[in-house]
Amino acid sequence: MRSMVQFVRIHNPAPYRVSSIQLLAGEKRTGMSTVGSVLNNRYRLDQKLGEGGFANVFLATDLALGRKVAVKILEQSWIKDNELLTRFRNEARAIAALEHPNILLIHDYGITRGAPYIVMPYISGGTLADRMKQGAFTFDEIGVYLDQIGSALDYAHERGIVHRDVKPSNLLIRPNGQLVLMDFGLAKLLDNAELAAQTAIVGTVAYMAPEQLQGFVSTASDIYMLGIILYQMLAGKLPYEGNTTRLFMEHLHSTPGSLRNLPTMRSVPPSVVQALDQVLLKVLAKSPADRYPSCQALTSAYYQALNADPKRAARAQNRDNHLDQWKLNETLIDKPPIVPSPPPPTKVEAKPVV
């Protein structure tokens, strides 16, 4: 596995400049792809799901296979931007190389009227950002989500890919509650020096790691962003808030506030709140080397913090004991009973009859 603090220097960094993609986010552009049109005689665009600074996402029907899909199409006004074309193509390649239950797959990639598009499964359950608007999370719910996101990121990191834009709106929720990480359009291939020379600072400032704001990126940057999401699920708000300039300064120099006295922690034992504070301080450390070495390590630390509550620790121990007994019973059932061999016959000496 690659070092969790391996850095890639981004060419000509600008610590206080967000990317052109961010600045243009929300700016409406008129493209050639409209609702009702059919891409390459196969994908009928039924409804626009979202739009950003450089791509639109549509709910579409795959006419060949008769299924609903999501289609992301690069805006016509950007097709002459070689950097964006490269990033869009790399998104398709990055997703296609990853096979994980918590990473959104790619069905197809193509070009229509000079504009590239990506076809992905359509997930109807909304996003983690939508779930956050519905109210507080339980500790168990947070643990399940943390484990799923972390599993997807660790899998990508082991293959040299950093997502760089981990945030709730990039986490889709399947109807069964399973999270799926999407949008590897900002993914960084750690070994690709040519791409590094083409890339500026990109990402969402509210979740970006300090080193990313300064033009560096590593797997530890994704772990930091997962830490921001963890704080948000626990506290009901982001650790740093404000305009772009303030967010830059907070990420670079401030320490996240304690969970104490927050409404979401009113009924939580102080020992658990204190333990969770320590987890957040570590995962949101300014230096990447001071953070957890993997998302799995973060998840383990989270559950360990919850066990600072003696009652929860006792319940966890009981579950472990029951699981161990179940495994023992399964082992005994699977194996045939051991029947002891009969003792050898006793030799009786014949005596003469008198």
Side-chain angles (χ1 to χ4, degrees):
M1 182 184 295
R2 301 174 188 274
S3 169
M4 289 301 156
V5 294
Q6 177 180 0
F7 288 115
V8 171
R9 188 70 168 90
I10 297 177
H11 180 69
N12 192 23
Y16 294 96
R17 177 172 59 84
V18 293
S19 72
S20 58
I21 295 176
Q22 284 182 289
L23 294 176
L24 291 170
E27 179 182 345
K28 297 183 178 179
R29 296 176 176 272
T30 303
M32 302 288 287
S33 301
T34 57
V35 172
S37 61
V38 179
L39 306 184
N40 289 350
N41 297 317
R42 179 169 180 176
Y43 303 107
R44 186 186 67 225
L45 305 183
D46 299 327
Q47 176 187 344
K48 180 178 284 190
L49 298 176
E51 60 183 21
F54 71 104
N56 293 324
V57 180
F58 292 86
L59 171 63
T61 300
D62 183 341
L63 300 177
L65 298 178
R67 63 182 176 183
K68 293 294 183 181
V69 294
V71 179
K72 178 185 287 188
I73 309 171
L74 188 68
E75 275 284 1
Q76 286 281 333
S77 53
W78 289 104
I79 62 177
K80 294 183 180 180
D81 189 318
N82 290 330
E83 180 182 346
L84 282 177
L85 287 174
T86 299
R87 185 174 296 129
F88 203 85
R89 183 173 62 251
N90 285 336
E91 174 175 2
R93 290 177 177 175
I95 299 173
L98 301 176
E99 297 183 5
H100 189 280
N102 299 113
I103 294 178
L104 191 66
L105 301 175
I106 179 170
H107 287 325
D108 194 11
Y109 172 82
I111 297 177
T112 177
R113 298 180 182 179
Y117 63 86
I118 296 173
V119 182
M120 303 165 289
Y122 171 61
I123 308 296
S124 60
T127 67
L128 184 60
D130 298 326
R131 167 61 187 87
M132 287 179 172
K133 297 174 183 177
Q134 297 172 6
F137 294 80
T138 66
F139 283 143
D140 289 333
E141 187 179 11
I142 292 173
V144 170
Y145 287 157
L146 188 64
D147 181 62
Q148 291 185 23
I149 306 169
S151 177
L153 289 173
D154 281 346
Y155 174 86
H157 293 168
E158 290 169 1
R159 285 150 184 80
I161 297 177
V162 179
H163 188 283
R164 304 204 318 165
D165 198 24
V166 184
K167 58 185 179 183
S169 59
N170 276 341
L171 289 158
L172 303 176
I173 303 178
R174 296 186 187 276
N176 65 359
Q178 183 186 44
L179 279 183
V180 184
L181 180 61
M182 62 171 278
D183 198 357
F184 276 81
L186 303 178
K188 187 75 173 98
L189 302 179
L190 292 178
D191 292 333
N192 193 336
E194 292 183 1
L195 182 59
Q198 300 172 4
T199 308
I201 297 175
V202 288
T204 304
V205 177
Y207 296 86
M208 288 175 68
E211 69 275 7
Q212 193 172 358
L213 295 170
Q214 295 175 310
F216 295 90
V217 66
S218 74
T219 53
S221 307
D222 280 351
I223 297 172
Y224 181 96
M225 284 184 273
L226 181 55
I228 294 289
I229 294 175
L230 173 58
Y231 186 101
Q232 193 173 9
M233 290 192 291
L234 288 169
K237 64 176 185 177
L238 288 164
Y240 309 124
E241 297 176 323
N243 58 32
T244 300
T245 302
R246 180 173 178 179
L247 285 172
F248 268 79
M249 299 304 295
E250 296 280 353
H251 281 291
L252 289 170
H253 304 295
S254 297
T255 301
S258 170
L259 297 175
R260 294 192 305 271
N261 302 323
L262 291 178
T264 55
M265 296 288 127
R266 285 173 182 168
S267 60
V268 180
S271 58
V272 174
V273 178
Q274 183 178 0
L276 289 172
D277 275 342
Q278 294 305 309
V279 172
L280 292 170
L281 285 174
K282 183 172 179 64
V283 72
L284 299 180
K286 303 306 177 187
S287 171
D290 293 335
R291 298 172 201 153
Y292 292 101
S294 67
C295 297
Q296 181 181 7
L298 168 60
T299 302
S300 297
Y302 169 77
Y303 280 111
Q304 187 175 357
L306 297 184
N307 287 336
D309 177 4
K311 294 181 180 179
R312 185 181 182 95
R315 290 196 300 269
Q317 183 62 44
N318 288 335
R319 285 196 300 268
D320 291 342
N321 290 340
H322 287 311
L323 180 60
D324 290 341
Q325 184 61 45
W326 177 81
K327 290 180 178 178
L328 176 61
N329 292 339
E330 286 292 301
T331 301
L332 293 177
I333 292 174
D334 290 341
K335 293 184 178 180
I338 300 175
V339 179
S341 302
T346 304
K347 184 177 181 180
V348 180
E349 294 182 0
K351 296 182 179 180
V353 178
V354 178

